[in-house]
Amino acid sequence: AGRAWGSRGMEAAAGRCRAPLPAWWRLLRGLLLAVLAAGSCQGNSVERKIYIPLNKTAPCVRLLNATHQIGCQSSISGDTGVIHVVEKEEDLNWVLADGPHPPYMILLDGNLFNRRVMLQLKGTSRVSGLAVAIAKPSPPQGFSPGLKCPNDGFGVYSKDYGPQFAHCNTTVWNPVGSGLSYEDFDFPIFLLEDANETQVIKQCYQDHNVPRDGSGPEYPLCAMQLFSHMHAVTSTVTCMRRSSLQSTFSINPEVVCDPLLDYNVWSTLQPINSSGKVDPEKEVIIVATRIDSHSFFWNIAPGAESAVSSFVTHLAAAEALHKVPDTHLLQRNIMFTFFQGETFDYIGSSRMVYDMEKDKFPLRLDNIHSFVELNQVALRNDSVLWMHTDPVSRMNESVEVQVRNLLDILSNSSVGANVTLQEAGYSQPLPPSSFQRFLRARHIPGVVLTDHRTAFQNRYYQSMYDTPENIRMQYPEGLSPEETLEYVTDTAKSLAEVATVVARALYRLAGGANNTSAIQADPKTVSRMLYGFLIKMNNSWFQSIIKPDIKGILGDVPQHYVAVSSPVNTTYLVQYVLANLTGTVVNLTKEECLNPEKTPSSEKEMYEYAWVQGSLDPNSTSRVPYCVRSTVHLSKALSPAFELRQWGSTEYSTWTESRWKEIRARIFLVASRELEIITLVVGIAILIFSLLATYFINAKADILFSIPRDPGAVAY
């Protein structure tokens, strides 16, 4: 502004004097513009000198259902506090009572991240946020932020169906569940994924914040700022209504939340018309697993035991069955189904049941002969696998006969194997499982296979510690990534044995009459899948079996959260692994593979075609792509509540995820309040002085910047 006023004053003076601007003034103005431009370019550099960003973090975000909001959020401008490291419970006293510099930003040891400590912090205004360091090794007592009774109220048991089993009255499935993931915190909570960044914070704390001789530390202090403001509030009903109103009346609608959604993956042993309807007389056996998991922190969901162990076993069983030469002669078809979103009140399975009831799926419920579900299967004691059935539906005589036949076939298939199948008990209810959603619609003979008779063996259910170590995956030291991919672990051998028993049982159940000893799951394939889904997605095998245009999904650390954008990485990879293990390589060009409807013999309605990258040519850096034909399909995994716009539904899942503007964390040194006030006052004084100086210079510009007249000139 001063520059503009000075220019106008100069131009006025020049106009009166009939003279051009002097060269020295033009030079001064150019230098001033250059300095201002340079200052703006250096703004980011100054910020980098003040702040240290924390790049490897995972936030706790807000989720909502029909009645509640859960999770965490910061204020709209982020929350800031002085860092205090809490490594034992006694350290909390400084934060909650003694410390003179509230609010505090706590760096919490992972072993203290539990419900009791968190509720203490939730009840005080002296805490502005939390950064959690991962405990290594995992907490020996177990840690599960999930519910003691997962998916309660959305399974089959209710006041109208087996009321004695409702709300886990008979069996508490997840006794270590703290319910922490289902609490609502009004301050941000971040997970520190990088040990180096955790150490940087601790060093900053040691240098500046450690109390000296029982008194508070002196300024400057090390502080942390966390940004995770959430747009949605209250419940799914509220946020979806607001989003709907925005979409209806606004040109640029601002959506505040999104439904959790993705796709189910399914395929059949014998091809069916995916766009038509299966003959009502045709019987189909459904084999099912879930492919999603969850933890307290957003997109941190390793799910080794809760999801990966079961769907990897399922994939291995599907491969073993497809190698059997007489599958086309089986009187019953087998459908391999992988459900998404099951962690959040059975999103995937409830949607498939809904589609079957509404004739939006090739199968109807009446086509289902029986149901076999693989649940958590990696942590077996004495190689025992438990068979769970529904005691209520078995009161029906015809269902009881079919269930007994199913149990006998499974038990007989384990003879000679290193797996022993035992019945959990007639009076034992079903554990949380997708099968429950099918039972809500129709009495279907079925069994759920697990490694636990009553409570989960998994002490880290729905937590960040449900990692490869939890299912005892171990590798020798010194292996390269390629060698690790191919190394067959004891866990892989164990799950391959389970897959073998399941494949043999399914063959018998489908009407197979030949000897089943040749049906064998491949431990090497299981090992590859465990490595890819638990340790490193971006490996040579996964690279070779996916389409070139989606190779960007191959991140380093696998996570299995359902999310709101679809398909997620897990869904894509299950789809292409299943196609690779059960499909056929066909001799089609790229053009024919991408447009199979142009090839008369392609049977497009029966098969899906995929042009995949292929392996690297041994003699070059290029790949050898090929076309895969399979019966693998995707179907929508979006809760029917959103199709029906029943956002307050108690019948279907209503989970949504809030939107946010930015998620970030950083640390910096903060000065005392007194110094900040002095700095502010001095800054204001300098600003006022500058404005006054500019005003007076502008007012006297015609005198200060006038060009003296030539004394020899005479005016007449």
Side-chain angles (χ1 to χ4, degrees):
R3 187 169 70 250
W5 296 341
S7 297
R8 285 198 298 269
M10 182 64 193
E11 287 164 5
R16 287 193 299 271
C17 298
R18 306 288 184 183
L21 291 173
W24 65 268
W25 174 248
R26 292 197 300 272
L27 178 62
L28 179 62
R29 187 166 60 178
L31 286 173
L32 184 59
L33 289 171
V35 168
L36 289 173
S40 65
C41 293
Q42 293 297 318
N44 289 334
S45 177
V46 172
E47 182 177 356
R48 285 196 297 270
K49 291 177 180 178
I50 297 174
Y51 300 104
I52 299 177
L54 304 174
N55 298 316
K56 293 282 288 182
T57 61
C60 160
V61 304
R62 175 168 290 166
L63 300 175
L64 309 98
N65 65 9
T67 55
H68 292 81
Q69 64 180 29
I70 63 172
C72 324
Q73 78 154 356
S74 73
S75 62
I76 195 167
S77 56
D79 287 330
T80 305
V82 174
I83 296 172
H84 190 75
V85 175
V86 175
E87 295 180 328
K88 53 186 183 298
E89 287 206 41
E90 292 76 23
D91 297 336
L92 288 171
N93 294 331
W94 185 265
V95 172
L96 298 175
D98 301 337
H101 305 119
Y104 284 96
M105 198 62 80
I106 299 175
L107 174 57
L108 186 69
D109 184 271
N111 289 296
L112 294 176
F113 185 55
N114 56 55
R115 183 178 182 85
R116 181 166 48 81
V117 169
M118 291 303 297
L119 292 185
Q120 286 186 66
L121 302 179
K122 184 179 179 180
T124 177
S125 60
R126 290 175 59 89
V127 174
S128 60
L130 203 66
V132 180
I134 295 178
K136 292 186 179 180
S138 301
Q141 72 276 13
F143 174 75
S144 172
L147 299 171
K148 293 183 183 296
C149 189
N151 292 2
D152 186 26
F154 290 86
V156 68
Y157 302 114
S158 66
K159 60 182 178 62
D160 301 317
Y161 187 99
Q164 68 273 30
F165 304 125
H167 312 300
C168 297
N169 287 334
T170 304
T171 305
V172 177
W173 296 106
N174 186 29
V176 298
S178 65
L180 197 59
S181 289
Y182 296 83
E183 290 288 333
D184 182 39
F185 295 93
D186 59 0
F187 52 78
I189 304 176
F190 278 54
L191 177 69
L192 300 174
E193 299 181 74
D194 188 347
N196 292 329
E197 289 188 344
T198 303
Q199 191 55 44
V200 168
I201 299 171
K202 287 183 176 180
Q203 189 60 52
C204 188
Y205 167 79
Q206 291 289 339
D207 293 343
H208 300 279
N209 294 12
V210 175
R212 310 293 180 188
D213 302 321
S215 60
E218 296 182 358
Y219 286 97
L221 298 175
C222 190
M224 182 185 296
Q225 189 171 29
L226 302 178
F227 297 85
S228 63
H229 181 67
M230 300 288 129
H231 294 175
V233 294
T234 309
S235 67
T236 289
V237 176
T238 301
C239 79
M240 289 299 293
R241 185 177 66 243
R242 289 177 179 176
S243 296
S244 178
L245 288 172
Q246 285 270 347
S247 300
T248 304
F249 298 107
S250 176
I251 298 175
N252 297 308
E254 183 179 345
V255 177
V256 295
C257 68
D258 301 282
L260 295 182
L261 63 95
D262 202 72
Y263 288 90
N264 298 322
V265 182
W266 63 275
S267 74
T268 52
L269 191 61
Q270 300 165 355
I272 63 173
N273 187 340
S274 60
S275 59
K277 291 287 179 290
V278 173
D279 191 299
E281 305 300 319
K282 183 65 175 178
E283 292 183 320
V284 179
I285 301 161
I286 291 185
V287 195
T289 48
R290 66 176 61 191
I291 58 175
D292 69 297
S293 187
H294 180 45
S295 81
F296 186 87
F297 298 99
W298 182 76
N299 207 30
I300 301 294
E305 161 73 340
S306 61
V308 177
S309 68
S310 58
F311 75 69
V312 161
T313 304
H314 188 172
L315 288 164
E319 180 192 32
L321 274 172
H322 272 268
K323 291 179 179 177
V324 178
D326 65 337
T327 53
H328 62 287
L329 300 176
L330 297 176
Q331 66 184 79
R332 299 184 186 96
N333 204 347
I334 299 174
M335 177 173 155
F336 307 100
T337 313
F338 301 81
F339 291 120
Q340 261 287 14
E342 296 300 274
T343 302
F344 295 95
D345 300 335
Y346 306 118
I347 293 174
S349 54
S350 63
R351 179 53 186 261
M352 184 170 284
V353 171
Y354 175 82
D355 287 343
M356 287 180 176
E357 291 176 324
K358 302 298 181 183
D359 281 342
K360 296 180 179 180
F361 195 78
L363 268 67
R364 301 176 180 87
L365 290 170
D366 292 339
N367 291 117
I368 301 175
H369 170 268
S370 52
F371 199 105
V372 177
E373 180 169 353
L374 286 162
N375 213 307
Q376 303 178 78
V377 294
L379 298 176
R380 304 194 306 280
N381 283 333
D382 301 322
S383 298
V384 175
L385 206 61
W386 296 96
M387 301 181 290
H388 299 263
T389 56
D390 172 41
V392 180
S393 61
R394 288 181 68 177
M395 294 178 183
N396 180 296
E397 187 175 346
S398 64
V399 172
E400 167 63 19
V401 170
Q402 295 177 76
V403 169
R404 178 49 55 193
N405 178 57
L406 177 55
L407 294 173
D408 290 343
I409 289 175
L410 281 163
S411 297
N412 293 336
S413 298
S414 67
V415 175
N418 290 328
V419 180
T420 303
L421 271 74
Q422 295 185 18
E423 189 175 352
Y426 187 86
S427 60
Q428 176 80 15
L430 287 169
S433 52
S434 306
F435 180 39
Q436 293 199 31
R437 291 302 301 196
F438 285 79
L439 279 176
R440 283 176 71 129
R442 183 174 175 269
H443 281 179
I444 298 171
V447 63
V448 178
L449 301 178
T450 73
D451 56 20
H452 55 89
R453 182 177 185 178
T454 53
F456 295 162
Q457 296 277 15
N458 186 5
R459 293 173 300 139
Y460 304 108
Y461 182 74
Q462 290 185 8
S463 91
M464 55 195 170
Y465 300 115
D466 192 6
T467 58
E469 291 77 19
N470 186 33
I471 59 172
R472 303 161 190 158
M473 281 178 63
Q474 295 179 335
Y475 295 93
E477 292 184 5
L479 294 183
S480 67
E482 201 63 27
E483 291 170 335
T484 309
L485 172 68
E486 301 295 338
Y487 182 82
V488 180
T489 62
D490 290 341
T491 302
K493 294 175 185 176
S494 175
L495 293 180
E497 290 167 354
V498 176
T500 297
V501 170
V502 171
R504 291 174 179 177
L506 291 172
Y507 177 77
R508 288 288 186 212
L509 201 58
N514 293 334
N515 191 298
T516 60
S517 60
I519 301 176
Q520 188 74 41
D522 184 1
K524 187 174 181 179
T525 301
V526 174
S527 195
R528 284 178 164 188
M529 289 190 287
L530 287 174
Y531 179 81
F533 285 113
L534 286 175
I535 297 176
K536 188 176 182 180
M537 280 187 170
N538 194 12
N539 62 73
S540 59
W541 186 48
F542 278 5
Q543 290 168 7
S544 69
I545 64 175
I546 64 170
K547 292 181 177 181
D549 58 338
I550 62 168
K551 60 185 178 182
I553 68 170
L554 297 178
D556 278 338
V557 182
Q559 304 296 345
H560 307 294
Y561 173 60
V562 59
V564 296
S565 58
S566 58
V568 296
N569 299 6
T570 304
T571 303
Y572 269 131
L573 288 171
V574 168
Q575 177 189 7
Y576 286 103
V577 168
L578 184 59
N580 178 268
L581 298 180
T582 63
T584 306
V585 177
V586 290
N587 187 23
L588 293 178
T589 65
K590 180 178 181 180
E591 179 66 26
E592 291 170 335
C593 190
L594 296 176
N595 301 282
E597 66 278 358
K598 297 180 180 178
T599 306
S601 60
S602 67
E603 297 181 284
K604 175 69 172 105
E605 66 280 359
M606 308 291 283
Y607 297 100
E608 293 288 332
Y609 291 81
W611 184 258
V612 300
Q613 291 193 119
S615 302
L616 284 170
D617 191 317
N619 300 318
S620 71
T621 57
S622 61
R623 295 185 176 274
V624 184
Y626 55 91
C627 186
V628 175
R629 185 186 71 183
S630 71
T631 61
V632 180
H633 306 277
L634 298 180
S635 67
K636 194 177 291 186
L638 169 66
S639 171
F642 298 100
E643 292 277 317
L644 302 170
R645 296 176 67 86
Q646 295 176 359
W647 303 319
S649 173
T650 57
E651 169 74 11
Y652 299 112
S653 171
T654 56
W655 285 104
T656 54
E657 180 185 274
S658 174
R659 289 197 178 185
W660 57 81
K661 184 177 181 180
E662 62 176 344
I663 298 286
R664 61 191 174 102
R666 60 190 185 181
I667 63 173
F668 57 96
L669 293 181
V670 61
S672 68
R673 182 59 57 87
E674 292 79 9
L675 182 57
E676 288 178 341
I677 293 173
I678 291 171
T679 303
L680 176 63
V681 171
V682 171
I684 293 172
I686 292 173
L687 174 63
I688 294 172
F689 175 78
S690 301
L691 292 174
L692 290 173
T694 303
Y695 172 77
F696 285 114
I697 290 172
N698 181 68
K700 304 297 183 180
D702 55 339
I703 299 173
L704 294 173
F705 303 114
S706 62
I707 300 174
R709 294 186 178 187
D710 185 354
V714 179
Y716 291 94

mmCIF file of all heavy atoms in Angstrom, residues 297-311:
data_model
loop_
_atom_site.group_PDB
_atom_site.id
_atom_site.type_symbol
_atom_site.label_atom_id
_atom_site.label_comp_id
_atom_site.label_asym_id
_atom_site.label_seq_id
_atom_site.Cartn_x
_atom_site.Cartn_y
_atom_site.Cartn_z
ATOM 1 N N PHE A 297 -6.961 -47.181 14.649
ATOM 2 C CA PHE A 297 -6.435 -46.135 13.775
ATOM 3 C C PHE A 297 -6.836 -46.380 12.321
ATOM 4 O O PHE A 297 -6.911 -47.522 11.865
ATOM 5 C CB PHE A 297 -4.909 -46.056 13.911
ATOM 6 C CG PHE A 297 -4.464 -45.692 15.300
ATOM 7 C CD1 PHE A 297 -4.039 -46.674 16.187
ATOM 8 C CD2 PHE A 297 -4.508 -44.384 15.731
ATOM 9 C CE1 PHE A 297 -3.651 -46.340 17.477
ATOM 10 C CE2 PHE A 297 -4.128 -44.038 17.019
ATOM 11 C CZ PHE A 297 -3.695 -45.022 17.894
ATOM 12 N N TRP A 298 -7.039 -45.287 11.621
ATOM 13 C CA TRP A 298 -7.520 -45.336 10.242
ATOM 14 C C TRP A 298 -6.524 -46.047 9.332
ATOM 15 O O TRP A 298 -5.335 -45.736 9.306
ATOM 16 C CB TRP A 298 -7.776 -43.909 9.733
ATOM 17 C CG TRP A 298 -8.317 -43.854 8.342
ATOM 18 C CD1 TRP A 298 -9.589 -44.121 7.939
ATOM 19 C CD2 TRP A 298 -7.595 -43.501 7.163
ATOM 20 N NE1 TRP A 298 -9.710 -43.959 6.587
ATOM 21 C CE2 TRP A 298 -8.503 -43.574 6.082
ATOM 22 C CE3 TRP A 298 -6.269 -43.134 6.921
ATOM 23 C CZ2 TRP A 298 -8.117 -43.292 4.778
ATOM 24 C CZ3 TRP A 298 -5.891 -42.861 5.615
ATOM 25 C CH2 TRP A 298 -6.806 -42.928 4.568
ATOM 26 N N ASN A 299 -7.039 -47.010 8.575
ATOM 27 C CA ASN A 299 -6.271 -47.760 7.573
ATOM 28 C C ASN A 299 -5.087 -48.512 8.177
ATOM 29 O O ASN A 299 -4.121 -48.820 7.477
ATOM 30 C CB ASN A 299 -5.786 -46.835 6.449
ATOM 31 C CG ASN A 299 -5.589 -47.604 5.150
ATOM 32 O OD1 ASN A 299 -6.272 -48.600 4.900
ATOM 33 N ND2 ASN A 299 -4.660 -47.169 4.324
ATOM 34 N N ILE A 300 -5.143 -48.792 9.460
ATOM 35 C CA ILE A 300 -4.184 -49.706 10.090
ATOM 36 C C ILE A 300 -4.980 -50.943 10.466
ATOM 37 O O ILE A 300 -5.649 -50.974 11.499
ATOM 38 C CB ILE A 300 -3.514 -49.076 11.331
ATOM 39 C CG1 ILE A 300 -2.772 -47.798 10.944
ATOM 40 C CG2 ILE A 300 -2.574 -50.071 12.001
ATOM 41 C CD1 ILE A 300 -1.584 -48.016 10.022
ATOM 42 N N ALA A 301 -4.948 -51.950 9.606
ATOM 43 C CA ALA A 301 -5.762 -53.147 9.819
ATOM 44 C C ALA A 301 -5.049 -54.357 9.238
ATOM 45 O O ALA A 301 -5.424 -54.869 8.180
ATOM 46 C CB ALA A 301 -7.144 -52.965 9.169
ATOM 47 N N PRO A 302 -3.980 -54.833 9.912
ATOM 48 C CA PRO A 302 -3.239 -55.978 9.370
ATOM 49 C C PRO A 302 -4.071 -57.251 9.325
ATOM 50 O O PRO A 302 -3.976 -58.021 8.365
ATOM 51 C CB PRO A 302 -2.038 -56.099 10.308
ATOM 52 C CG PRO A 302 -2.431 -55.376 11.551
ATOM 53 C CD PRO A 302 -3.360 -54.280 11.132
ATOM 54 N N GLY A 303 -4.897 -57.496 10.354
ATOM 55 C CA GLY A 303 -5.877 -58.591 10.324
ATOM 56 C C GLY A 303 -5.312 -59.966 10.041
ATOM 57 O O GLY A 303 -5.968 -60.768 9.366
ATOM 58 N N ALA A 304 -4.119 -60.285 10.563
ATOM 59 C CA ALA A 304 -3.480 -61.567 10.234
ATOM 60 C C ALA A 304 -4.352 -62.759 10.610
ATOM 61 O O ALA A 304 -4.590 -63.652 9.791
ATOM 62 C CB ALA A 304 -2.120 -61.659 10.929
ATOM 63 N N GLU A 305 -4.835 -62.791 11.855
ATOM 64 C CA GLU A 305 -5.657 -63.905 12.305
ATOM 65 C C GLU A 305 -7.132 -63.653 12.015
ATOM 66 O O GLU A 305 -7.855 -64.568 11.611
ATOM 67 C CB GLU A 305 -5.434 -64.129 13.809
ATOM 68 C CG GLU A 305 -6.511 -64.917 14.541
ATOM 69 C CD GLU A 305 -6.511 -66.417 14.227
ATOM 70 O OE1 GLU A 305 -5.958 -66.820 13.181
ATOM 71 O OE2 GLU A 305 -7.086 -67.188 14.998
ATOM 72 N N SER A 306 -7.594 -62.417 12.183
ATOM 73 C CA SER A 306 -9.030 -62.140 12.061
ATOM 74 C C SER A 306 -9.538 -62.236 10.628
ATOM 75 O O SER A 306 -10.716 -62.487 10.412
ATOM 76 C CB SER A 306 -9.354 -60.758 12.632
ATOM 77 O OG SER A 306 -8.661 -59.746 11.932
ATOM 78 N N ALA A 307 -8.665 -62.046 9.628
ATOM 79 C CA ALA A 307 -9.130 -62.076 8.242
ATOM 80 C C ALA A 307 -8.209 -62.866 7.324
ATOM 81 O O ALA A 307 -8.639 -63.775 6.606
ATOM 82 C CB ALA A 307 -9.288 -60.645 7.715
ATOM 83 N N VAL A 308 -6.918 -62.525 7.308
ATOM 84 C CA VAL A 308 -6.011 -63.075 6.297
ATOM 85 C C VAL A 308 -5.868 -64.585 6.398
ATOM 86 O O VAL A 308 -5.880 -65.294 5.388
ATOM 87 C CB VAL A 308 -4.627 -62.392 6.385
ATOM 88 C CG1 VAL A 308 -3.661 -63.001 5.379
ATOM 89 C CG2 VAL A 308 -4.758 -60.895 6.136
ATOM 90 N N SER A 309 -5.756 -65.121 7.616
ATOM 91 C CA SER A 309 -5.576 -66.573 7.753
ATOM 92 C C SER A 309 -6.720 -67.336 7.105
ATOM 93 O O SER A 309 -6.508 -68.384 6.473
ATOM 94 C CB SER A 309 -5.457 -66.952 9.230
ATOM 95 O OG SER A 309 -6.682 -66.749 9.921
ATOM 96 N N SER A 310 -7.936 -66.804 7.233
ATOM 97 C CA SER A 310 -9.093 -67.513 6.690
ATOM 98 C C SER A 310 -9.214 -67.340 5.181
ATOM 99 O O SER A 310 -9.446 -68.314 4.461
ATOM 100 C CB SER A 310 -10.369 -67.042 7.384
ATOM 101 O OG SER A 310 -10.546 -65.643 7.241
ATOM 102 N N PHE A 311 -9.032 -66.115 4.664
ATOM 103 C CA PHE A 311 -9.246 -65.981 3.220
ATOM 104 C C PHE A 311 -8.086 -66.564 2.409
ATOM 105 O O PHE A 311 -8.278 -67.002 1.267
ATOM 106 C CB PHE A 311 -9.635 -64.559 2.802
ATOM 107 C CG PHE A 311 -8.567 -63.501 2.784
ATOM 108 C CD1 PHE A 311 -7.538 -63.519 1.863
ATOM 109 C CD2 PHE A 311 -8.636 -62.416 3.656
ATOM 110 C CE1 PHE A 311 -6.584 -62.503 1.810
ATOM 111 C CE2 PHE A 311 -7.688 -61.405 3.620
ATOM 112 C CZ PHE A 311 -6.654 -61.451 2.689
#
